[in-house]
PDB file of all heavy atoms in Angstrom:
ATOM      1  N   GLU A 274      26.854  71.447  60.585  1.00  0.00           N
ATOM      2  CA  GLU A 274      27.098  70.015  60.653  1.00  0.00           C
ATOM      3  C   GLU A 274      28.093  69.759  61.772  1.00  0.00           C
ATOM      4  O   GLU A 274      29.111  70.446  61.873  1.00  0.00           O
ATOM      5  CB  GLU A 274      27.676  69.481  59.332  1.00  0.00           C
ATOM      6  CG  GLU A 274      26.680  69.412  58.204  1.00  0.00           C
ATOM      7  CD  GLU A 274      27.310  68.861  56.938  1.00  0.00           C
ATOM      8  OE1 GLU A 274      28.557  68.677  56.924  1.00  0.00           O
ATOM      9  OE2 GLU A 274      26.583  68.633  55.958  1.00  0.00           O
ATOM     10  N   LEU A 275      27.804  68.779  62.605  1.00  0.00           N
ATOM     11  CA  LEU A 275      28.692  68.413  63.699  1.00  0.00           C
ATOM     12  C   LEU A 275      29.038  66.940  63.558  1.00  0.00           C
ATOM     13  O   LEU A 275      28.149  66.084  63.632  1.00  0.00           O
ATOM     14  CB  LEU A 275      28.005  68.685  65.044  1.00  0.00           C
ATOM     15  CG  LEU A 275      28.881  68.603  66.293  1.00  0.00           C
ATOM     16  CD1 LEU A 275      29.971  69.672  66.255  1.00  0.00           C
ATOM     17  CD2 LEU A 275      28.041  68.771  67.548  1.00  0.00           C
ATOM     18  N   PHE A 276      30.309  66.684  63.267  1.00  0.00           N
ATOM     19  CA  PHE A 276      30.763  65.313  63.012  1.00  0.00           C
ATOM     20  C   PHE A 276      29.909  64.645  61.945  1.00  0.00           C
ATOM     21  O   PHE A 276      29.517  63.480  62.039  1.00  0.00           O
ATOM     22  CB  PHE A 276      30.773  64.493  64.300  1.00  0.00           C
ATOM     23  CG  PHE A 276      31.670  65.070  65.373  1.00  0.00           C
ATOM     24  CD1 PHE A 276      31.129  65.528  66.564  1.00  0.00           C
ATOM     25  CD2 PHE A 276      33.037  65.179  65.164  1.00  0.00           C
ATOM     26  CE1 PHE A 276      31.950  66.064  67.550  1.00  0.00           C
ATOM     27  CE2 PHE A 276      33.869  65.716  66.143  1.00  0.00           C
ATOM     28  CZ  PHE A 276      33.335  66.160  67.335  1.00  0.00           C
ATOM     29  N   GLY A 277      29.590  65.439  60.895  1.00  0.00           N
ATOM     30  CA  GLY A 277      28.877  64.918  59.744  1.00  0.00           C
ATOM     31  C   GLY A 277      27.371  64.867  59.868  1.00  0.00           C
ATOM     32  O   GLY A 277      26.683  64.507  58.909  1.00  0.00           O
ATOM     33  N   LYS A 278      26.847  65.238  61.024  1.00  0.00           N
ATOM     34  CA  LYS A 278      25.398  65.194  61.233  1.00  0.00           C
ATOM     35  C   LYS A 278      24.821  66.604  61.285  1.00  0.00           C
ATOM     36  O   LYS A 278      25.417  67.497  61.891  1.00  0.00           O
ATOM     37  CB  LYS A 278      25.071  64.456  62.527  1.00  0.00           C
ATOM     38  CG  LYS A 278      25.490  62.991  62.519  1.00  0.00           C
ATOM     39  CD  LYS A 278      25.126  62.301  63.814  1.00  0.00           C
ATOM     40  CE  LYS A 278      25.534  60.831  63.783  1.00  0.00           C
ATOM     41  NZ  LYS A 278      25.185  60.137  65.060  1.00  0.00           N
ATOM     42  N   PRO A 279      23.657  66.842  60.670  1.00  0.00           N
ATOM     43  CA  PRO A 279      23.071  68.189  60.686  1.00  0.00           C
ATOM     44  C   PRO A 279      22.607  68.573  62.080  1.00  0.00           C
ATOM     45  O   PRO A 279      22.105  67.739  62.847  1.00  0.00           O
ATOM     46  CB  PRO A 279      21.881  68.060  59.725  1.00  0.00           C
ATOM     47  CG  PRO A 279      21.546  66.602  59.722  1.00  0.00           C
ATOM     48  CD  PRO A 279      22.834  65.874  59.923  1.00  0.00           C
ATOM     49  N   VAL A 280      22.771  69.829  62.405  1.00  0.00           N
ATOM     50  CA  VAL A 280      22.304  70.355  63.682  1.00  0.00           C
ATOM     51  C   VAL A 280      21.860  71.798  63.476  1.00  0.00           C
ATOM     52  O   VAL A 280      22.573  72.594  62.872  1.00  0.00           O
ATOM     53  CB  VAL A 280      23.393  70.246  64.777  1.00  0.00           C
ATOM     54  CG1 VAL A 280      24.677  70.953  64.364  1.00  0.00           C
ATOM     55  CG2 VAL A 280      22.907  70.799  66.102  1.00  0.00           C
ATOM     56  N   ASP A 281      20.647  72.117  63.904  1.00  0.00           N
ATOM     57  CA  ASP A 281      20.101  73.472  63.838  1.00  0.00           C
ATOM     58  C   ASP A 281      19.823  73.940  65.259  1.00  0.00           C
ATOM     59  O   ASP A 281      19.271  73.184  66.071  1.00  0.00           O
ATOM     60  CB  ASP A 281      18.793  73.498  63.041  1.00  0.00           C
ATOM     61  CG  ASP A 281      19.012  73.201  61.567  1.00  0.00           C
ATOM     62  OD1 ASP A 281      20.178  73.018  61.168  1.00  0.00           O
ATOM     63  OD2 ASP A 281      18.020  73.146  60.826  1.00  0.00           O
ATOM     64  N   PHE A 282      20.188  75.177  65.549  1.00  0.00           N
ATOM     65  CA  PHE A 282      19.966  75.682  66.906  1.00  0.00           C
ATOM     66  C   PHE A 282      19.874  77.192  66.899  1.00  0.00           C
ATOM     67  O   PHE A 282      20.187  77.852  65.900  1.00  0.00           O
ATOM     68  CB  PHE A 282      21.073  75.209  67.855  1.00  0.00           C
ATOM     69  CG  PHE A 282      22.481  75.549  67.416  1.00  0.00           C
ATOM     70  CD1 PHE A 282      23.129  76.681  67.891  1.00  0.00           C
ATOM     71  CD2 PHE A 282      23.165  74.701  66.553  1.00  0.00           C
ATOM     72  CE1 PHE A 282      24.435  76.970  67.513  1.00  0.00           C
ATOM     73  CE2 PHE A 282      24.475  74.981  66.167  1.00  0.00           C
ATOM     74  CZ  PHE A 282      25.106  76.121  66.652  1.00  0.00           C
ATOM     75  N   THR A 283      19.403  77.733  68.023  1.00  0.00           N
ATOM     76  CA  THR A 283      19.239  79.181  68.158  1.00  0.00           C
ATOM     77  C   THR A 283      20.223  79.733  69.181  1.00  0.00           C
ATOM     78  O   THR A 283      20.698  79.021  70.070  1.00  0.00           O
ATOM     79  CB  THR A 283      17.808  79.538  68.595  1.00  0.00           C
ATOM     80  OG1 THR A 283      17.532  78.899  69.842  1.00  0.00           O
ATOM     81  CG2 THR A 283      16.796  79.095  67.555  1.00  0.00           C
ATOM     82  N   LEU A 284      20.509  81.022  69.033  1.00  0.00           N
ATOM     83  CA  LEU A 284      21.397  81.743  69.930  1.00  0.00           C
ATOM     84  C   LEU A 284      20.726  83.029  70.396  1.00  0.00           C
ATOM     85  O   LEU A 284      19.894  83.598  69.679  1.00  0.00           O
ATOM     86  CB  LEU A 284      22.705  82.126  69.223  1.00  0.00           C
ATOM     87  CG  LEU A 284      23.588  81.013  68.651  1.00  0.00           C
ATOM     88  CD1 LEU A 284      24.709  81.635  67.820  1.00  0.00           C
ATOM     89  CD2 LEU A 284      24.161  80.164  69.771  1.00  0.00           C
ATOM     90  N   ARG A 285      21.112  83.504  71.569  1.00  0.00           N
ATOM     91  CA  ARG A 285      20.728  84.849  71.997  1.00  0.00           C
ATOM     92  C   ARG A 285      21.649  85.901  71.373  1.00  0.00           C
ATOM     93  O   ARG A 285      21.370  87.087  71.422  1.00  0.00           O
ATOM     94  CB  ARG A 285      20.809  84.950  73.532  1.00  0.00           C
ATOM     95  CG  ARG A 285      19.797  84.083  74.277  1.00  0.00           C
ATOM     96  CD  ARG A 285      18.439  84.754  74.350  1.00  0.00           C
ATOM     97  NE  ARG A 285      17.495  83.947  75.109  1.00  0.00           N
ATOM     98  CZ  ARG A 285      17.241  84.113  76.398  1.00  0.00           C
ATOM     99  NH1 ARG A 285      17.905  85.045  77.085  1.00  0.00           N
ATOM    100  NH2 ARG A 285      16.368  83.358  77.022  1.00  0.00           N
ATOM    101  N   GLN A 286      22.772  85.430  70.843  1.00  0.00           N
ATOM    102  CA  GLN A 286      23.756  86.320  70.218  1.00  0.00           C
ATOM    103  C   GLN A 286      23.375  86.540  68.755  1.00  0.00           C
ATOM    104  O   GLN A 286      22.957  85.598  68.081  1.00  0.00           O
ATOM    105  CB  GLN A 286      25.143  85.699  70.280  1.00  0.00           C
ATOM    106  CG  GLN A 286      25.465  84.929  71.548  1.00  0.00           C
ATOM    107  CD  GLN A 286      25.859  85.812  72.690  1.00  0.00           C
ATOM    108  OE1 GLN A 286      26.333  86.924  72.486  1.00  0.00           O
ATOM    109  NE2 GLN A 286      25.672  85.333  73.905  1.00  0.00           N
ATOM    110  N   SER A 287      23.598  87.746  68.252  1.00  0.00           N
ATOM    111  CA  SER A 287      23.284  88.004  66.848  1.00  0.00           C
ATOM    112  C   SER A 287      24.513  88.351  66.022  1.00  0.00           C
ATOM    113  O   SER A 287      24.421  88.509  64.811  1.00  0.00           O
ATOM    114  CB  SER A 287      22.263  89.140  66.736  1.00  0.00           C
ATOM    115  OG  SER A 287      22.784  90.332  67.293  1.00  0.00           O
ATOM    116  N   GLY A 288      25.684  88.470  66.670  1.00  0.00           N
ATOM    117  CA  GLY A 288      26.903  88.781  65.938  1.00  0.00           C
ATOM    118  C   GLY A 288      27.348  87.600  65.084  1.00  0.00           C
ATOM    119  O   GLY A 288      27.320  86.449  65.509  1.00  0.00           O
ATOM    120  N   PHE A 289      27.771  87.874  63.839  1.00  0.00           N
ATOM    121  CA  PHE A 289      28.136  86.803  62.914  1.00  0.00           C
ATOM    122  C   PHE A 289      29.278  85.946  63.451  1.00  0.00           C
ATOM    123  O   PHE A 289      29.352  84.749  63.157  1.00  0.00           O
ATOM    124  CB  PHE A 289      28.520  87.392  61.554  1.00  0.00           C
ATOM    125  CG  PHE A 289      27.339  87.730  60.689  1.00  0.00           C
ATOM    126  CD1 PHE A 289      26.817  89.015  60.681  1.00  0.00           C
ATOM    127  CD2 PHE A 289      26.744  86.767  59.888  1.00  0.00           C
ATOM    128  CE1 PHE A 289      25.730  89.334  59.889  1.00  0.00           C
ATOM    129  CE2 PHE A 289      25.651  87.080  59.089  1.00  0.00           C
ATOM    130  CZ  PHE A 289      25.136  88.364  59.096  1.00  0.00           C
ATOM    131  N   HIS A 290      30.170  86.528  64.244  1.00  0.00           N
ATOM    132  CA  HIS A 290      31.278  85.751  64.790  1.00  0.00           C
ATOM    133  C   HIS A 290      30.784  84.645  65.719  1.00  0.00           C
ATOM    134  O   HIS A 290      31.504  83.678  65.989  1.00  0.00           O
ATOM    135  CB  HIS A 290      32.254  86.667  65.537  1.00  0.00           C
ATOM    136  CG  HIS A 290      31.631  87.488  66.622  1.00  0.00           C
ATOM    137  ND1 HIS A 290      30.755  88.514  66.360  1.00  0.00           N
ATOM    138  CD2 HIS A 290      31.752  87.424  67.961  1.00  0.00           C
ATOM    139  CE1 HIS A 290      30.362  89.054  67.495  1.00  0.00           C
ATOM    140  NE2 HIS A 290      30.949  88.413  68.483  1.00  0.00           N
ATOM    141  N   TRP A 291      29.528  84.766  66.182  1.00  0.00           N
ATOM    142  CA  TRP A 291      28.997  83.739  67.068  1.00  0.00           C
ATOM    143  C   TRP A 291      28.629  82.457  66.332  1.00  0.00           C
ATOM    144  O   TRP A 291      28.407  81.424  66.941  1.00  0.00           O
ATOM    145  CB  TRP A 291      27.827  84.268  67.888  1.00  0.00           C
ATOM    146  CG  TRP A 291      28.340  84.701  69.221  1.00  0.00           C
ATOM    147  CD1 TRP A 291      28.707  85.953  69.593  1.00  0.00           C
ATOM    148  CD2 TRP A 291      28.614  83.848  70.340  1.00  0.00           C
ATOM    149  NE1 TRP A 291      29.190  85.933  70.880  1.00  0.00           N
ATOM    150  CE2 TRP A 291      29.141  84.664  71.355  1.00  0.00           C
ATOM    151  CE3 TRP A 291      28.459  82.496  70.573  1.00  0.00           C
ATOM    152  CZ2 TRP A 291      29.522  84.150  72.590  1.00  0.00           C
ATOM    153  CZ3 TRP A 291      28.837  81.978  71.801  1.00  0.00           C
ATOM    154  CH2 TRP A 291      29.362  82.808  72.789  1.00  0.00           C
ATOM    155  N   GLY A 292      28.593  82.492  65.019  1.00  0.00           N
ATOM    156  CA  GLY A 292      28.445  81.253  64.274  1.00  0.00           C
ATOM    157  C   GLY A 292      29.619  80.326  64.550  1.00  0.00           C
ATOM    158  O   GLY A 292      29.451  79.157  64.924  1.00  0.00           O
ATOM    159  N   PHE A 293      30.834  80.849  64.410  1.00  0.00           N
ATOM    160  CA  PHE A 293      32.036  80.070  64.690  1.00  0.00           C
ATOM    161  C   PHE A 293      32.213  79.841  66.182  1.00  0.00           C
ATOM    162  O   PHE A 293      32.610  78.753  66.619  1.00  0.00           O
ATOM    163  CB  PHE A 293      33.266  80.768  64.109  1.00  0.00           C
ATOM    164  CG  PHE A 293      33.306  80.757  62.612  1.00  0.00           C
ATOM    165  CD1 PHE A 293      33.738  81.859  61.917  1.00  0.00           C
ATOM    166  CD2 PHE A 293      32.904  79.636  61.890  1.00  0.00           C
ATOM    167  CE1 PHE A 293      33.782  81.856  60.529  1.00  0.00           C
ATOM    168  CE2 PHE A 293      32.941  79.613  60.514  1.00  0.00           C
ATOM    169  CZ  PHE A 293      33.387  80.740  59.829  1.00  0.00           C
ATOM    170  N   ASN A 294      31.951  80.873  66.989  1.00  0.00           N
ATOM    171  CA  ASN A 294      32.094  80.713  68.443  1.00  0.00           C
ATOM    172  C   ASN A 294      31.247  79.557  68.960  1.00  0.00           C
ATOM    173  O   ASN A 294      31.680  78.769  69.799  1.00  0.00           O
ATOM    174  CB  ASN A 294      31.685  81.999  69.167  1.00  0.00           C
ATOM    175  CG  ASN A 294      32.752  83.062  69.137  1.00  0.00           C
ATOM    176  OD1 ASN A 294      33.858  82.834  68.653  1.00  0.00           O
ATOM    177  ND2 ASN A 294      32.438  84.236  69.646  1.00  0.00           N
ATOM    178  N   SER A 295      30.016  79.470  68.461  1.00  0.00           N
ATOM    179  CA  SER A 295      29.119  78.428  68.960  1.00  0.00           C
ATOM    180  C   SER A 295      29.632  77.036  68.611  1.00  0.00           C
ATOM    181  O   SER A 295      29.498  76.093  69.403  1.00  0.00           O
ATOM    182  CB  SER A 295      27.703  78.632  68.412  1.00  0.00           C
ATOM    183  OG  SER A 295      27.669  78.514  66.996  1.00  0.00           O
ATOM    184  N   LEU A 296      30.246  76.890  67.429  1.00  0.00           N
ATOM    185  CA  LEU A 296      30.799  75.596  67.052  1.00  0.00           C
ATOM    186  C   LEU A 296      32.012  75.247  67.914  1.00  0.00           C
ATOM    187  O   LEU A 296      32.204  74.087  68.295  1.00  0.00           O
ATOM    188  CB  LEU A 296      31.180  75.597  65.577  1.00  0.00           C
ATOM    189  CG  LEU A 296      30.028  75.822  64.596  1.00  0.00           C
ATOM    190  CD1 LEU A 296      30.519  75.676  63.165  1.00  0.00           C
ATOM    191  CD2 LEU A 296      28.878  74.861  64.867  1.00  0.00           C
ATOM    192  N   CYS A 297      32.821  76.258  68.228  1.00  0.00           N
ATOM    193  CA  CYS A 297      33.954  76.055  69.128  1.00  0.00           C
ATOM    194  C   CYS A 297      33.460  75.571  70.492  1.00  0.00           C
ATOM    195  O   CYS A 297      34.013  74.628  71.071  1.00  0.00           O
ATOM    196  CB  CYS A 297      34.734  77.363  69.268  1.00  0.00           C
ATOM    197  SG  CYS A 297      36.170  77.269  70.348  1.00  0.00           S
ATOM    198  N   VAL A 298      32.398  76.211  70.993  1.00  0.00           N
ATOM    199  CA  VAL A 298      31.817  75.817  72.280  1.00  0.00           C
ATOM    200  C   VAL A 298      31.357  74.364  72.240  1.00  0.00           C
ATOM    201  O   VAL A 298      31.650  73.568  73.152  1.00  0.00           O
ATOM    202  CB  VAL A 298      30.647  76.751  72.655  1.00  0.00           C
ATOM    203  CG1 VAL A 298      29.863  76.206  73.848  1.00  0.00           C
ATOM    204  CG2 VAL A 298      31.161  78.152  72.958  1.00  0.00           C
ATOM    205  N   LEU A 299      30.648  73.983  71.182  1.00  0.00           N
ATOM    206  CA  LEU A 299      30.113  72.622  71.099  1.00  0.00           C
ATOM    207  C   LEU A 299      31.228  71.577  71.020  1.00  0.00           C
ATOM    208  O   LEU A 299      31.128  70.498  71.620  1.00  0.00           O
ATOM    209  CB  LEU A 299      29.180  72.496  69.902  1.00  0.00           C
ATOM    210  CG  LEU A 299      27.860  73.272  69.995  1.00  0.00           C
ATOM    211  CD1 LEU A 299      27.064  73.154  68.702  1.00  0.00           C
ATOM    212  CD2 LEU A 299      27.020  72.798  71.183  1.00  0.00           C
ATOM    213  N   LEU A 300      32.297  71.875  70.302  1.00  0.00           N
ATOM    214  CA  LEU A 300      33.414  70.932  70.228  1.00  0.00           C
ATOM    215  C   LEU A 300      34.118  70.810  71.574  1.00  0.00           C
ATOM    216  O   LEU A 300      34.530  69.714  71.977  1.00  0.00           O
ATOM    217  CB  LEU A 300      34.409  71.370  69.149  1.00  0.00           C
ATOM    218  CG  LEU A 300      33.951  71.203  67.698  1.00  0.00           C
ATOM    219  CD1 LEU A 300      35.002  71.751  66.744  1.00  0.00           C
ATOM    220  CD2 LEU A 300      33.668  69.736  67.375  1.00  0.00           C
ATOM    221  N   MET A 301      34.275  71.928  72.282  1.00  0.00           N
ATOM    222  CA  MET A 301      34.892  71.870  73.610  1.00  0.00           C
ATOM    223  C   MET A 301      34.024  71.069  74.574  1.00  0.00           C
ATOM    224  O   MET A 301      34.532  70.247  75.354  1.00  0.00           O
ATOM    225  CB  MET A 301      35.117  73.278  74.138  1.00  0.00           C
ATOM    226  CG  MET A 301      36.310  73.993  73.517  1.00  0.00           C
ATOM    227  SD  MET A 301      37.904  73.279  74.004  1.00  0.00           S
ATOM    228  CE  MET A 301      37.973  73.781  75.735  1.00  0.00           C
ATOM    229  N   LEU A 302      32.727  71.287  74.530  1.00  0.00           N
ATOM    230  CA  LEU A 302      31.832  70.548  75.426  1.00  0.00           C
ATOM    231  C   LEU A 302      31.864  69.056  75.108  1.00  0.00           C
ATOM    232  O   LEU A 302      31.857  68.213  76.009  1.00  0.00           O
ATOM    233  CB  LEU A 302      30.413  71.099  75.317  1.00  0.00           C
ATOM    234  CG  LEU A 302      30.205  72.499  75.902  1.00  0.00           C
ATOM    235  CD1 LEU A 302      28.801  73.007  75.581  1.00  0.00           C
ATOM    236  CD2 LEU A 302      30.439  72.506  77.410  1.00  0.00           C
TER     237      LEU A 302
END
Side-chain angles (χ1 to χ4, degrees):
E274 287 181 352
L275 191 63
F276 301 116
K278 297 181 179 180
V280 57
D281 292 358
F282 55 96
T283 59
L284 300 171
R285 294 278 182 95
Q286 323 280 335
S287 61
F289 279 95
H290 56 291
W291 264 95
F293 291 141
N294 281 355
S295 63
L296 298 185
C297 180
V298 169
L299 292 176
L300 288 177
M301 283 291 290
L302 290 173

